[in-house]
Amino acid sequence: MFRRRNYTTTTPDPRPAPASSRPEIIAITLNELETVERVLLHADERKRLRRPDLGPSGHTARLLAALYQRAGAASVVQPSRQLARIPFYASDFLWLEHAIEDIELYGGRPVIARDGRHLLNRFNALLGQARAITHMGGTPVFDPDTALPGPTTDS
């Protein structure tokens, strides 16, 4: 009727606990932000047209809202449009990658998918130059006194 429980004791792991890693953040330009927006919105449009049964997810709207909030804070820190850099987390790369796949899967424009893939490759290359951020009222921004990362694609 009653079962006896076999309690086992576990020994603690002798290795030190891993330090919490900081998120990798790259700096993108306003022009790159506009391209990211174009890719994400086109992917959402194609998915909505081809798969109306899925319904809206809201991920794109939330990501774009966060990116434009960061862009607003970046414009306060660095008023020059050419020098303003927007923090873009490495974890956000996944949304861009999924958007490119959705464009290809649901018959989107190949030019937009190519632009998205070009950005994704550039962002991955910039990961080696990830920079630290500060926060303005909870919004991440880069310190305007630090050097800009690598060559830019803006003209």
Side-chain angles (χ1 to χ4, degrees):
M1 184 162 172
F2 292 104
R3 285 192 175 165
R4 180 179 288 198
R5 268 199 171 160
N6 291 332
Y7 289 103
T8 59
T9 59
T10 59
T11 57
D13 192 359
R15 295 175 291 177
S20 61
S21 62
R22 291 187 176 173
E24 291 183 290
I25 303 168
I26 62 166
I28 66 172
T29 65
L30 290 170
N31 290 341
E32 289 169 336
L33 174 60
E34 291 168 359
T35 304
V36 167
E37 178 184 24
R38 188 172 63 247
V39 170
L40 293 174
L41 292 177
H42 184 64
D44 265 6
E45 175 190 6
R46 294 308 307 168
K47 189 161 72 169
R48 197 171 44 251
L49 287 173
R50 299 287 294 270
R51 292 293 308 268
D53 57 314
L54 294 178
S57 67
H59 295 296
T60 297
R62 284 192 297 273
L63 177 60
L64 288 175
L67 287 172
Y68 274 101
Q69 184 179 14
R70 296 176 206 163
S75 68
V76 170
V77 173
Q78 183 58 260
S80 170
R81 180 176 170 82
Q82 289 76 25
L83 296 178
R85 296 295 181 261
I86 302 150
F88 195 78
Y89 290 86
S91 59
D92 296 335
F93 290 15
L94 185 61
W95 296 110
L96 185 57
E97 189 175 325
H98 285 305
I100 294 165
E101 290 171 0
D102 286 346
I103 290 170
E104 293 169 347
L105 181 65
Y106 298 120
R109 294 178 49 205
V111 171
I112 295 178
R114 186 194 70 223
D115 290 345
R117 195 163 304 288
H118 174 73
L119 270 185
L120 190 60
N121 291 338
R122 175 171 157 64
F123 293 170
N124 279 309
L126 286 176
L127 274 178
Q129 301 173 0
R131 297 174 21 194
I133 59 167
T134 59
H135 287 81
M136 285 180 49
T139 303
V141 293
F142 291 111
D143 185 4
D145 297 330
T146 58
L148 296 176
T152 62
T153 57
D154 296 340
S155 45

